[in-house]
Amino acid sequence: MTSRITEGVFFSAPADLPRGRHELSRDKVLSAQRERLMIATTELMAESGYQGVAVRRIAKRAKVSPAAFYECFPDKDACVFAAYGRFIEVLLNRIRDVLPTASFTWDHRTIAVVVDGYLSALNADPVVARAFQVEMDTVGRRARVQRRAALVGMAQALKSERERSPGNPRAPLSAYVGAVYAIRQLASDALDEPEEGSVTDLSAEAGVWIAAMLSSAQDGT
């Protein structure tokens, strides 16, 4: 079965380039080709994992020549990590967008909203989510380092926002990191075994146990 991204969630397919002579700048042409190549790479990752991705397969799916691929990326990994970087950027922005902008009480309902911002992005494009939540784990140390940095960044943002309101108790960063890792793994398992339950089913219940975990992990500072 051919996997296709959902338009406009993590990636947006550019319009077909005009044939023959045109007035588009080289930068615009390369930008469109990069987007097509990242989309193609993501779809192939979702279908057959990292090992199933090759430059010629990427170029063919993106409808560009292998020579055009190498004008955009030096190798397969550069394209994979560019697409992965986009995935992380969108997720972080989705989480920032749902965080309250004023003082608030950090309870299980608020946490459920934050968790849902993350999970709903995954649910909105299961192809991208599978490529980078499940298949990316097999790529190697560089992927693990990038993943850890992203998850710790999410945890730091949550800690800062929660503790911005004086009435909210404080907890060590490790408690937030543990919560973020747990949600990430549960979401990955749901994507890998969709018959076991929906990604979005995790939001409400996660709000309850994350609130309890952070309350019990107060550091007293």
Side-chain angles (χ1 to χ4, degrees):
M1 182 177 179
T2 301
S3 301
R4 296 293 182 194
I5 63 148
T6 302
E7 178 69 21
V9 180
F10 292 94
F11 299 97
S12 296
D16 290 341
L17 295 173
R19 294 181 178 276
R21 293 177 62 85
H22 56 75
E23 297 181 355
L24 292 176
S25 69
R26 176 174 172 78
D27 286 346
K28 287 185 177 180
V29 171
L30 290 177
S31 177
Q33 289 176 331
R34 279 177 59 87
E35 190 78 1
R36 288 181 180 280
L37 290 164
M38 287 192 294
I39 291 171
T41 297
T42 301
E43 291 174 346
L44 289 170
M45 284 268 291
E47 287 177 15
S48 50
Y50 175 76
Q51 298 304 323
V53 178
V55 169
R56 287 193 174 276
R57 288 190 70 194
I58 296 170
K60 181 178 180 181
R61 191 175 188 115
K63 298 180 180 178
V64 304
S65 68
F69 175 95
Y70 287 111
E71 286 188 84
C72 297
F73 298 103
D75 53 33
K76 177 181 84 170
D77 279 0
C79 188
V80 169
F81 279 97
Y84 186 44
R86 172 75 63 80
F87 170 73
I88 290 172
E89 177 187 7
V90 171
L91 284 182
L92 288 173
N93 286 337
R94 287 288 288 263
I95 290 172
R96 293 189 186 103
D97 287 345
V98 299
L99 287 171
T101 56
S103 295
F104 62 95
T105 301
W106 190 280
D107 58 16
H108 66 89
R109 289 176 292 272
T110 302
I111 294 173
V113 170
V114 174
V115 172
D116 187 65
Y118 165 64
L119 297 177
S120 63
L122 300 182
N123 200 54
D125 194 336
V127 170
V128 175
R130 177 170 184 82
F132 297 122
Q133 286 269 144
V134 179
E135 301 299 340
M136 196 69 182
D137 282 356
T138 68
V139 173
R141 186 176 186 278
R142 181 180 173 189
R144 294 194 299 273
V145 168
Q146 197 163 338
R147 181 191 68 211
R148 284 195 294 271
L151 295 178
V152 171
M154 290 181 191
Q156 288 172 328
L158 295 176
K159 177 176 169 65
S160 296
E161 288 302 314
R162 182 180 187 235
E163 296 178 0
R164 184 161 54 85
S165 298
N168 288 328
R170 297 173 181 272
L173 178 61
S174 59
Y176 294 89
V177 173
V180 170
Y181 264 81
I183 286 296
R184 194 248 179 211
Q185 189 57 53
L186 289 170
S188 297
D189 290 346
L191 289 163
D192 203 26
E193 303 289 346
E195 65 277 4
E196 298 295 326
S198 168
V199 168
T200 52
D201 290 341
L202 298 171
S203 298
E205 62 187 51
V208 174
W209 62 257
I210 291 175
M213 184 176 74
L214 292 178
S215 295
S216 65
Q218 293 181 35
D219 62 13
T221 59

